[in-house]
Amino acid sequence: MDIYTLTAIWILIGLVLFPIILNYKAPYGRHLSKKWGKTIPNKTGWILMELPALLVCPTLYFTYTPSLYSLNTVFISLWIFHYFNRTIIYPLRIKTKGKEMPLTDFKTAARSHEVIFAADLSAKKNPPIKLSKLRA
């Protein structure tokens, strides 16, 4: 599958999910309920939820890039700066004493990065990599 087909698929997924997400009550903040399972402090949850984005994207870039002297390195540097702020600085500065978030949010974030990692591996190998093989 080429990059244009993959991009079109993700755009379609976004268009289908957009109206659903507008009516969905996310399980944190004022919509938090115990039916979502175990909760953790929201600062810890925020850091854990965003940490894969801070680590995975730059790791893949620096592992597979042929040259560090390109415009792409400028963009990945901006990514690192942005996600360092989003992952480390912001959660430490927010004033939300005693608030919690469900652990399921963290699990969902980790699984989305597993999908991206599997897609990256599948693009390099045949047959496609299954998520069950990544978790084993």
Side-chain angles (χ1 to χ4, degrees), residues 38-112:
K38 186 176 179 176
T39 59
I40 56 176
N42 74 328
K43 289 184 181 190
T44 304
W46 187 276
I47 291 170
L48 292 175
M49 184 171 59
E50 297 294 336
L51 195 59
L54 177 63
L55 299 176
V56 172
C57 186
T59 300
L60 290 174
Y61 176 77
F62 290 117
T63 300
Y64 295 112
T65 189
S67 171
L68 293 179
Y69 303 103
S70 70
L71 186 57
N72 293 339
T73 304
V74 172
F75 288 120
I76 199 68
S77 299
L78 292 173
W79 172 278
I80 293 167
F81 178 75
H82 169 73
Y83 268 92
F84 181 79
N85 180 59
R86 184 179 172 121
T87 305
I88 307 298
I89 306 296
Y90 174 74
L92 297 177
R93 294 188 67 202
I94 56 175
K95 305 209 180 339
T96 55
K97 200 172 225 174
K99 299 230 176 176
E100 295 193 335
M101 70 186 299
L103 194 56
T104 55
D105 285 355
F106 168 67
K107 289 179 184 175
T108 302
R111 293 237 166 99
S112 67

